[in-house]
Amino acid sequence: MVGYDPKPDGRNNTKLQVAVAGSVSGLVTRALISPFDVIKIRFQLQHERLSRRDPNAKYHGIFQASRQILQEEGLTAFWKGHIPAQILSIGYGAVQVYNTLRHAVGTMYRSEGPRVFYKGLAPTLIAIFPYAGLQFSCYSSLKHLYKWAMPAEGKKNENLQNLLCGSGAGVISKTLTYPLDLFKKRLQVGGFEHARAAFGQVRRYKGLVDCAKQVLQKEGALGFFKGLSPSLLKAALSTGFMFFWYEFFCNVFHCMNRTASQR
């Protein structure tokens, strides 16, 4: 939770406690919203329309995609790529995970060289600053709006306030920067077209501008927002849960500190 300071609210958390609260809130949140991320990426990489009227479309809705993924790949498919990331992020090692990651990295490096690890970097860099800025700016503004609009008894429920304002901030910031996320995903899978051939059409892009141009020409303006619905659900839940759990753990540490100081 870089950029958010709980001290103005009167809490006496240490920097270490703030860091731990941010890390744990991120850990819990990623686990809870992973299925939406999987569905969002499937939608982003599908060149066909997200409509049941298109006979070539593999996915055309969140519920339909969920059922199909569950039937074809099982429940664990909704956490593909998530568990190894979580294990690595908290400092644990697993031989199977490590060997799989090492094999993937080696194959990518041998086939395309070191530049392969930076595919999609341009839209990522363009999006990261406005997204982070919008997220915290909207969160702060929505908190003020919540306090102004909510009756006195409702203002006492800070957890609800954090959840609602965090979710709203996530939805707004994600919608405004979403096309860049789609470009990033399309560019990142470049070179692995054969792996997604079973999902439908395959296209190649020369870069960010070419990707944007092809999407507009072949998929229309709505193509820039493929997967927006699961992305908004993910953003709302992710940001909402992130602030909720962050505030929760900061409050836990604050209570622990207060209890310790009274001894």
Side-chain angles (χ1 to χ4, degrees):
M1 295 297 300
V2 178
Y4 186 69
D5 185 4
K7 292 187 183 299
D9 295 331
R11 291 177 295 206
N12 58 345
N13 301 114
T14 66
K15 291 182 178 180
L16 177 60
Q17 289 172 338
V18 171
V20 171
S23 298
V24 176
S25 66
L27 190 74
V28 174
T29 297
R30 282 197 301 271
L32 292 173
I33 54 86
S34 179
F36 293 102
D37 203 31
V38 169
I39 296 172
K40 180 200 75 168
I41 293 173
R42 298 290 178 96
F43 285 4
Q44 286 180 323
L45 299 182
Q46 179 172 295
H47 299 298
E48 295 80 7
R49 289 186 303 161
L50 295 171
S51 171
R52 56 170 51 91
R53 291 194 294 270
D54 188 336
N56 298 314
K58 185 175 179 67
Y59 304 118
H60 51 73
I62 295 176
F63 294 111
Q64 177 270 337
S66 299
R67 288 195 302 270
Q68 191 153 349
I69 292 172
L70 184 62
Q71 292 171 357
E72 295 178 352
E73 304 171 56
L75 184 63
T76 57
F78 293 108
W79 283 271
K80 280 185 175 179
H82 170 76
I83 295 176
Q86 288 284 34
I87 293 174
L88 293 173
S89 69
I90 59 179
Y92 288 97
V95 174
Q96 184 176 358
V97 172
Y98 173 75
N99 286 338
T100 302
L101 179 63
R102 184 178 61 179
H103 174 72
V105 171
T107 301
M108 291 169 67
Y109 183 83
R110 287 192 298 271
S111 63
E112 300 185 61
R115 293 181 61 184
V116 69
F117 301 111
Y118 297 94
K119 284 184 175 180
L121 180 61
T124 301
L125 292 178
I126 294 171
I128 191 168
F129 295 110
Y131 180 76
L134 284 168
Q135 183 170 297
F136 284 104
S137 176
C138 290
Y139 179 65
S140 178
S141 298
L142 289 173
K143 284 185 73 174
H144 289 300
L145 180 62
Y146 180 94
K147 292 177 181 177
W148 173 78
M150 219 35 179
E153 58 272 16
K155 295 178 182 178
K156 296 178 182 179
N157 193 339
E158 291 188 0
N159 287 334
L160 177 62
Q161 171 188 288
N162 296 330
L163 184 60
L164 292 177
C165 295
S167 297
V171 167
I172 295 170
S173 54
K174 175 57 70 175
T175 301
L176 294 175
T177 59
Y178 186 79
L180 292 167
D181 188 45
L182 183 137
F183 301 151
K184 179 184 72 173
K185 295 298 190 301
R186 294 281 181 97
L187 293 172
Q188 284 178 331
V189 298
F192 293 88
E193 287 82 2
H194 62 283
R196 68 165 307 278
F199 292 92
Q201 296 179 33
V202 174
R203 295 193 190 127
R204 297 178 184 273
Y205 305 110
K206 298 177 183 178
L208 174 59
V209 176
D210 181 56
C211 179
K213 183 178 179 181
Q214 286 198 46
V215 170
L216 182 61
Q217 290 177 341
K218 300 177 181 179
E219 302 170 56
L222 291 178
F224 293 134
F225 296 93
K226 277 185 174 176
L228 180 61
S229 53
S231 182
L232 289 182
L233 284 173
K234 175 199 166 188
L237 292 173
S238 176
T239 310
F241 281 139
M242 181 175 65
F243 282 110
F244 174 83
W245 289 112
Y246 176 73
E247 300 279 5
F248 173 80
F249 287 115
C250 280
N251 285 332
V252 169
F253 287 132
H254 172 66
C255 292
M256 291 171 57
N257 293 339
R258 188 170 57 185
T259 301
S261 65
Q262 291 174 352
R263 290 177 181 174

